Amino acid sequence: MPRLLTYNVHSFTGTDRRREPERIEAVIRDSGARIVALQEVRWSARSEGAHALMTLARNLGMAWHFQRTATFAGEQFGLAVLSDLPMRLVKSGGLPRLGPALPERRSALWVEVETGSGPLQVICTHLAVLSARDRMAQAQALLGPDWLGGTPGPAVLMGDLNAGLRSAAYKRLAAALDCARSGSAERHATFPSWMPLTRIDHIMGANGARLANPQALRTATSRVASDHLPFAAELVSLG
């Protein structure tokens, strides 16, 4: 069973304000993850003359799918799923927005990954940062028939939910999904990377997908590569 990783990569910009996709690449490689969900991905890096996401995936030996959530200064910004296992795009699209329109449209990206023990539905998302009402509406939508409620078999939800363990949106999702709880909350904190105080990055199982060994990955590189730590879990069963 493959290891899973979710990671808000902050446009590949570290806490030292240096934009170095190579550090994100090193963190992912060292994690041993074979299914990776990324948030805050910059589609291109014009100043470097290279497509940062494509280069990252190629260097890791992985295929990728991307969902645009915004365009800034001519560069696309959004979600990505990478894997060295066979995968196909199922769908992508926006999530509910109750407040005023903002430059970034909160969205989800759904791919199907063939694990060797059967297909796994993987949904990557990044929920609203400012509005608790929007986060709850987005959580409800993800549980509904258009997303997790419509998956044909075992599934995982991976992403930056902007929701701590005491938040209403997290509790709503945790009541319906497998969150692989173990250890102290402090051990799993992912934000901010240089002094982690809270976990807002999550991996949750649905429809029989069972997870184990959740952990925030704290290394010298991960503490500086992004403002979030990556969060990993083991997929141990497809039900």
Side-chain angles (χ1 to χ4, degrees), residues 30-50:
D30 290 347
S31 76
R34 301 187 66 189
I35 300 174
V36 179
L38 302 181
Q39 305 84 47
E40 295 193 14
V41 176
R42 284 267 289 277
W43 171 270
S44 62
R46 292 176 300 168
S47 62
E48 299 174 8

Side-chain angles (χ1 to χ4, degrees), residues 12-54:
F12 305 113
T13 301
T15 57
D16 56 3
R17 301 185 181 180
R18 290 162 48 190
R19 188 166 186 269
E20 295 188 9
E22 298 82 4
R23 295 190 295 200
I24 299 297
E25 178 188 321
V27 171
I28 295 172
R29 179 178 288 107
D30 290 347
S31 76
R34 301 187 66 189
I35 300 174
V36 179
L38 302 181
Q39 305 84 47
E40 295 193 14
V41 176
R42 284 267 289 277
W43 171 270
S44 62
R46 292 176 300 168
S47 62
E48 299 174 8
H51 185 319
L53 176 59
M54 182 182 295

Side-chain angles (χ1 to χ4, degrees), residues 189-235:
T190 58
F191 185 81
S193 60
W194 61 92
M195 188 175 64
L197 299 174
T198 186
R199 172 151 67 100
I200 56 177
D201 304 273
H202 302 278
I203 301 175
M204 302 179 176
N207 302 338
R210 294 288 177 256
L211 307 170
N213 302 322
Q215 59 178 312
L217 303 183
R218 303 185 185 187
T219 68
T221 303
S222 69
R223 286 181 182 274
V224 70
S226 170
D227 61 346
H228 289 239
L229 292 175
F231 188 77
E234 308 289 344
L235 180 66

Side-chain angles (χ1 to χ4, degrees), residues 66-69 79 89-96 105-110 123-127 138 141-142 146-147:
F66 177 82
Q67 161 69 9
R68 180 177 62 85
T69 60
L79 308 169
L89 176 66
V90 178
K91 66 179 287 189
S92 60
L95 296 174
R105 177 68 190 272
R106 299 299 173 174
S107 303
L109 171 63
W110 175 357
I123 296 177
C124 171
T125 194
H126 187 189
L127 301 190
Q138 291 157 10
L142 287 165
D146 291 336
W147 298 99

Side-chain angles (χ1 to χ4, degrees), residues 111-126:
V111 303
E112 181 180 88
V113 180
E114 181 52 62
T115 69
S117 298
L120 176 69
Q121 313 303 315
V122 177
I123 296 177
C124 171
T125 194
H126 187 189

